[in-house]
Amino acid sequence: MKGGRWTTQTGSSTYLSEAIAIWLRDLRIEFRTRYAVNAILMFAVTTLVAVSFSIGSFRIEASEKPFLYAVLLWIILVFSALSGLSRSFVKEEEAGTMDALRLSARPQAVFLGKLFFNLTLLGALELIIVPSFILLMKYEIEYPGFFAAMIISGGFGLGAGTTIVAAMIAQASARGALFSALSFPLLLPLMITAIKGCERAAIGMGTAGWAEVKIAVAYVMIMMVVSLFLFPLVWEE
Amino acid sequence: MYSLSVTNLTKYYSSTLLFKDLSFRLNPGEVLAIIGWNGSGKSTLLRIIAGLVRPSCGRVEMFCKNAPIPKESRRQFIGMAAPALSLYEELTALENMEFFCRVRGIAYDRRNCLNIMERIGLSEQAEKMCRNYSSGMKQRLKLVQAILHNPPLLLLDEPGCNLDSKGMKIVEDIISDQRQFGMAVIASNERREVDYADRVINLSK
Amino acid sequence: MILKAMLSIWMAVIIVAAFLYTEAAVGFPGETSRILFFHVPQAWVATLSFLVSMIASATYLAKRNLKADYLAQSAAELGFLFCVLATVTGSIFAKATWGSFWNWDPRETSIVILLMIYGAYFALRSAVPDPERKRVFAAVYSILAFTTVPFLIFVVPRITASLHPENTMNPTQPGMDPKTLKVFLGSLLAYTGLFVWMLRLKMRILRLEGLKEPRFGDFI
């Protein structure tokens, strides 16, 4: 065994570089274990199949379609997200790695890293579920651009509203049920907005000004800022 | 250069008193051992110094040339290895090193890390998932993870647990390195580990 | 003691006045309009306690003062109670005037969301074993929930039109009968007094319970 100094480097990091390191590491672990993806996608696919099978594309009157389809789509998206978005924090707690993370990264960076990871999961979820839903249910959309913007901003909202809640419930008992119970009231305004927005996009009426997308974007910004402020309190003892 | 000062530290764990009015100062080049019966608060004391647990009362401060280091940035100056501090089981040893380098903003050098792996006797397992490691192998990896960013203050909770005599040589190496360039606090009841220290604090008195 | 006696006399006077002194408003079936004197103050107290709880939570996070946490918890519990009362009285009125107990009127929607937030708040409190963390988490959640309220105010009225009587029963409108206005304001005062009294009682209980558990949080 050789002697000598072990290391001589000292580092300097930014919030963003720390957050990206955490995000990439979470992605790498997720690719290997498919811990969260399995939970979310299986939930989403089974619900989608159940909806499509029991309702089909002809049961609902054409005039009712825009509204009811928006409701069904967002119920699938929100509850699939709630079934798996807490995984990354819960896993960290269960494996006992939270303290190592606390010692090596700034709390805001941890929040951002986990937010990026959750947004990646949500992106994958929407990429699979939304096109399948449109195809299976023969969802006709007058303004696809507005519709896509609504789906994307709504997805960001789901991530921004739930990441700090996930950090809290990871440190509590009865985690699974608690996550939905705590997140749902926070997500309701977003969900109502997104449903309304998708309905308008389908009808092709009243999309001027993109009001719903703006509300969703405002929701994302405010929840992110508030979470960044509050996260250190939740994360550190 | 760096120093640590602990003033009037008191910690209650629910209603039991762990320690009261504990004060000490650690200067560069010093190695301190903390001993005490099981449940006397050795690990908790280390966790308080690391900033993972709030003390019930009292202060922990670190100084760089007498200038206090703010609590938020203290994590850059502390390295810690403890039984309760796990590494990522789904990553290989190298990937664990890579992550901790990246998150601390150290340039990740694969060759350098492989050298370290060789030095701790894990070069053949460097690309295997940590899940398959024995507890002694995990402990070796935890030890080098703690000194990856060259911290002035090293906190070691039972550094020799699960280690064989070759493993103990690593601990010895790390501590003598630390004595030269920084400070260390060891919490242990093992005679061979306590012997590395210059001073001993007994929490069970 | 004297304040308590005064409050109970005042409350009794309001109840009597609500039924005997005022006349039932025109345009409502039978005597149903008298719900105004009970339902609206209950909803007011429910909102007030939500606000108090949020401010106390923020204070707790800033100062780590146990009393602020007791206040936040007590206000939340009373808010929940008054939410339930307002929901029940409102439902009875809804059945009598609009023919069904529940209509998803915007105010009904908001009160359901408020009930869900309170439910989540209590669930969180009971699920965190460490007392210090429990208080921090509860306070953080309370602030998060409060952050979403402006969105609700903006978003919810867009779903359906309100069924709630606005003009005839809104005290700020000139259409309100002066007698009704007097009793209504008296009732608001009585309910607020009741809220303050119950709040102090609940805080005292929490403080006494807290004496049993170690109170080293005080040092922090």
Side-chain angles (χ1 to χ4, degrees), chain A:
Chain A
M1 217 174 278
K2 320 188 285 266
R5 294 210 65 188
W6 290 82
T7 47
T8 48
Q9 300 152 303
T10 48
S12 69
S13 55
T14 61
Y15 285 105
L16 199 61
S17 73
E18 288 177 28
I20 289 173
I22 293 167
W23 176 41
L24 292 178
R25 192 258 302 148
D26 265 355
L27 279 183
R28 187 177 248 167
I29 294 181
E30 185 59 38
F31 266 113
R32 281 186 194 158
T33 60
R34 301 203 184 80
Y35 207 47
V37 163
N38 276 349
I40 295 180
L41 281 188
M42 278 317 292
F43 191 99
V45 169
T46 8
T47 345
L48 178 63
V49 168
V51 165
S52 165
F53 171 73
S54 49
I55 296 178
S57 50
F58 303 108
R59 285 285 177 80
I60 297 177
E61 294 274 329
S63 60
E64 298 277 339
K65 268 187 181 180
F67 176 63
L68 286 180
Y69 277 12
V71 170
L72 288 172
L73 177 61
W74 276 98
I75 287 179
I76 296 175
L77 288 178
V78 168
F79 283 93
S80 315
L82 288 183
S83 72
L85 283 191
S86 61
R87 294 297 341 169
S88 68
F89 270 116
V90 168
K91 204 177 160 304
E92 204 96 44
E93 172 74 21
E94 280 170 356
T97 49
M98 260 193 177
D99 284 341
L101 198 55
R102 281 192 182 104
L103 283 173
S104 48
R106 281 176 278 207
Q108 291 88 348
V110 174
F111 173 77
L112 286 178
K114 295 289 184 188
L115 177 66
F116 294 163
F117 177 68
N118 278 350
L119 290 179
T120 316
L121 284 178
L122 284 163
L125 169 74
E126 290 186 338
L127 214 57
I128 293 172
I129 292 305
V130 176
S132 331
F133 185 88
I134 292 174
L135 290 178
L136 282 173
M137 307 292 286
K138 298 206 176 64
Y139 198 171
E140 279 148 20
I141 299 151
E142 285 291 316
Y143 284 112
F146 180 73
F147 185 83
M150 197 66 248
I151 294 285
I152 292 167
S153 57
F156 271 89
L158 288 181
T162 56
T163 302
I164 189 169
V165 177
M168 286 198 277
I169 65 110
Q171 299 170 67
S173 49
R175 289 160 190 155
L178 203 57
F179 182 59
S180 311
L182 291 183
S183 303
F184 192 65
L186 304 182
L187 292 178
L188 252 176
L190 178 80
M191 196 175 157
I192 294 169
T193 312
I195 290 172
K196 194 78 203 163
C198 286
E199 184 197 358
R200 283 196 210 279
I203 307 174
M205 251 174 59
T207 52
W210 291 36
E212 279 78 16
V213 174
K214 280 181 190 159
I215 296 177
V217 170
Y219 179 89
V220 172
M221 304 300 266
I222 289 179
M223 287 313 263
M224 259 187 72
V225 170
V226 172
S227 297
L228 273 174
F229 265 106
L230 294 176
F231 192 78
L233 296 169
V234 169
W235 182 244
E236 296 187 313
E237 318 210 15

Side-chain angles (χ1 to χ4, degrees), chain A residues 164 168 171-173 178 181-182 184-186 188-189 192-193 212 215 218-219 222-223 226 230 233-234 236-237, chain C residues 61 64 113 116-117 120 123-124 127-129 133 136-137 140-141 143-145 147-148 151-152 154-156 158-159:
Chain A
I164 189 169
M168 286 198 277
Q171 299 170 67
S173 49
L178 203 57
L182 291 183
F184 192 65
L186 304 182
L188 252 176
I192 294 169
T193 312
E212 279 78 16
I215 296 177
Y219 179 89
I222 289 179
M223 287 313 263
V226 172
L230 294 176
L233 296 169
V234 169
E236 296 187 313
E237 318 210 15
Chain C
L61 287 181
R64 299 292 168 111
I113 295 171
M116 285 201 306
I117 290 174
L124 179 61
V128 184
R133 310 235 81 194
V136 172
F137 285 11
V140 165
Y141 186 72
I143 292 173
L144 280 175
T147 313
T148 63
F151 287 97
L152 283 176
F154 196 51
V155 163
V156 170
R158 300 175 147 230
I159 327 171

Side-chain angles (χ1 to χ4, degrees), chain B:
Chain B
M1 247 209 330
Y2 292 92
S3 62
L4 171 77
S5 137
V6 169
T7 335
N8 294 332
L9 211 60
T10 303
K11 178 68 185 174
Y12 291 92
Y13 188 74
S14 75
S15 54
T16 31
L17 175 73
L18 288 182
F19 42 80
K20 201 170 178 187
D21 282 336
L22 190 69
S23 299
F24 61 85
R25 210 184 148 80
L26 203 60
N27 294 314
E30 277 189 306
V31 178
L32 173 73
I34 294 163
I35 59 169
W37 301 122
N38 297 143
S40 61
K42 298 187 297 292
S43 304
T44 310
L45 177 58
L46 287 198
R47 289 167 63 82
I48 290 174
I49 295 173
L52 291 173
V53 173
R54 257 171 199 263
S56 307
C57 218
R59 281 198 316 275
V60 174
E61 289 156 307
M62 258 187 97
F63 298 95
C64 172
K65 296 173 186 153
N66 292 326
I69 297 170
K71 196 174 178 292
E72 301 84 67
S73 50
R74 210 193 289 161
R75 68 172 60 81
Q76 301 162 33
F77 303 95
I78 291 180
M80 185 173 181
L85 219 66
S86 305
L87 299 172
Y88 292 93
E89 304 249 303
E90 291 84 5
L91 298 182
T92 67
L94 273 182
E95 284 164 350
N96 262 303
M97 303 270 277
E98 181 185 348
F99 168 65
F100 284 105
C101 281
R102 293 256 151 91
V103 87
R104 287 187 181 281
I106 306 165
Y108 169 65
D109 180 0
R110 195 185 147 88
R111 272 246 297 298
N112 195 10
C113 284
L114 275 173
N115 277 342
I116 294 178
M117 286 295 131
E118 201 188 331
R119 213 165 142 187
I120 60 173
L122 289 181
S123 52
E124 274 168 38
Q125 283 84 6
E127 307 269 18
K128 282 192 188 139
M129 292 235 209
C130 291
R131 175 188 295 141
N132 307 320
Y133 281 19
S134 73
S135 9
M137 285 154 75
K138 280 182 194 163
Q139 178 63 16
R140 291 174 186 208
L141 196 59
K142 278 185 202 177
L143 287 170
V144 288
Q145 182 275 128
I147 53 163
L148 212 53
H149 53 298
N150 199 18
L153 175 62
L154 181 64
L155 305 171
L156 297 173
D157 193 357
E158 299 183 33
C161 77
N162 301 316
L163 287 185
D164 51 21
S165 59
K166 274 186 192 160
M168 280 313 291
K169 184 78 180 50
I170 299 170
V171 177
E172 201 186 312
D173 244 28
I174 287 177
I175 292 174
S176 69
D177 201 28
Q178 198 66 24
R179 191 193 303 279
Q180 234 177 317
F181 300 98
M183 328 170 258
V185 182
I186 307 167
S188 176
N189 278 326
E190 289 285 326
R191 189 59 195 270
R192 51 181 187 175
E193 292 161 29
V194 175
D195 281 346
Y196 299 132
D198 315 307
R199 272 197 294 155
V200 176
I201 289 180
N202 189 345
L203 287 183
S204 304
K205 266 190 310 197

Side-chain angles (χ1 to χ4, degrees), chain C residues 158-204:
Chain C
R158 300 175 147 230
I159 327 171
T160 45
S162 179
L163 291 169
H164 267 78
E166 287 292 343
N167 296 325
T168 32
M169 290 176 88
N170 191 332
T172 55
Q173 296 289 319
M176 196 183 221
D177 176 50
K179 277 186 182 176
T180 312
L181 181 62
K182 255 185 270 174
V183 179
F184 174 71
L185 291 178
S187 176
L188 268 187
L189 189 68
Y191 267 95
T192 312
L194 186 70
F195 168 66
V196 172
W197 172 62
M198 288 172 84
L199 194 64
R200 294 183 50 172
L201 210 60
K202 180 72 203 170
M203 279 180 71
R204 228 160 75 199

